[in-house]
Structures are given as structure tokens and as C-alpha cells.
Amino acid sequence: MYINESAENYLETILILSQKLPVVRSVDIATELDFKKSSVSVAMKKLRESEHIVVSPEGYITLTPAGKEIADRIYERHTLLSSWLERLGVDPKIAVEDACRIEHVISSESFEAIKNHIR
């Protein structure tokens, strides 16, 4: 199933926040991404309907196995690409911004080749 860049970013953000916070709520995501709560609510509804997240009655957001798989993949791409760009001499802020764009469009084959080359 195809998942768009925006959804990938939300899933990645949920993963990152879940590593820092005891629970993740829509307001935490909105704060982290500097988005309006209403925009996050719409996105969470779509992710819930596509079975990438579960929202508890208290409003706590958890990744499903399918959502976690996507979030892990995007986060791995982000961390590896940004650190690689920094090692090439790219300013850290630019490296993070560029990695954020690249992580969504790079093929699995190309990413694996870069990963194998780096390691």
C-alpha cells in the first residue's frame, strides 16, 4: 500500500516522540511539528483508518506493527543520510533538512547501496 510523505513524517514523529515521552498525544505531535491541532487531528484520523496507529480512549497514540515498520524505515534513512551528509562536510542543519527530503524519495535499492558503502 502506498503511503504519502506527509503520513511518513507523522509516523516518524510519533516514533521519535514515543522514545522521549511516556505517552504521545495529538498535541505533542502538533507542538513537535509546529502544526495546527486541527491538521494533526485530520492526519491522525487517516492514519487510524489506514491502521497505522491506534488511539486509546484517553487520546494516547500508538503505532501499529505496520505503522512502526514504516516509521522505523524512514527514521533509519533519516539518521543515516543526515550523518553521512555531515561527514561529507554539509552543515548539520542543512544535512538534516536534505535528509528529510531524500528519505521519502530514495529507492530501497539505492538506500541499501549507500548504507552498505558507508558501513
Side-chain angles (χ1 to χ4, degrees):
M1 180 181 111
Y2 171 77
I3 184 160
N4 66 30
E5 180 178 334
S6 175
E8 289 176 342
N9 278 333
Y10 278 111
L11 294 171
E12 181 184 22
T13 300
I14 294 166
L15 175 70
I16 292 166
L17 288 173
S18 70
Q19 295 169 350
K20 296 192 270 188
L21 302 172
V23 294
V24 178
R25 302 164 300 149
S26 287
V27 67
D28 302 317
I29 297 165
T31 301
E32 181 74 14
L33 296 174
D34 196 25
F35 289 173
K36 293 180 182 174
K37 274 189 64 180
S38 58
S39 299
V40 173
S41 293
V42 169
M44 293 306 105
K45 181 178 186 235
K46 289 178 183 176
L47 289 173
R48 192 173 62 250
E49 289 172 351
S50 65
E51 299 182 354
H52 289 102
I53 64 166
V54 175
V55 182
S56 75
E58 299 81 20
Y60 303 153
I61 299 167
T62 308
L63 295 169
T64 64
K68 182 154 181 2
E69 181 181 322
I70 293 166
D72 285 339
R73 183 182 75 241
I74 297 300
Y75 186 66
E76 177 190 27
R77 289 177 175 196
H78 180 86
T79 55
L80 186 127
L81 291 168
S82 60
S83 67
W84 179 54
L85 291 169
E86 282 185 50
R87 281 186 273 158
L88 291 174
V90 176
D91 176 87
K93 185 175 187 242
I94 294 171
V96 167
E97 291 170 1
D98 286 348
C100 197
R101 286 191 293 276
I102 295 168
E103 69 196 25
H104 301 286
V105 296
I106 192 169
S107 69
S108 295
E109 182 180 354
S110 292
F111 178 72
E112 288 301 316
I114 291 169
K115 187 165 78 170
N116 289 335
H117 177 76
I118 292 171
R119 296 182 176 156

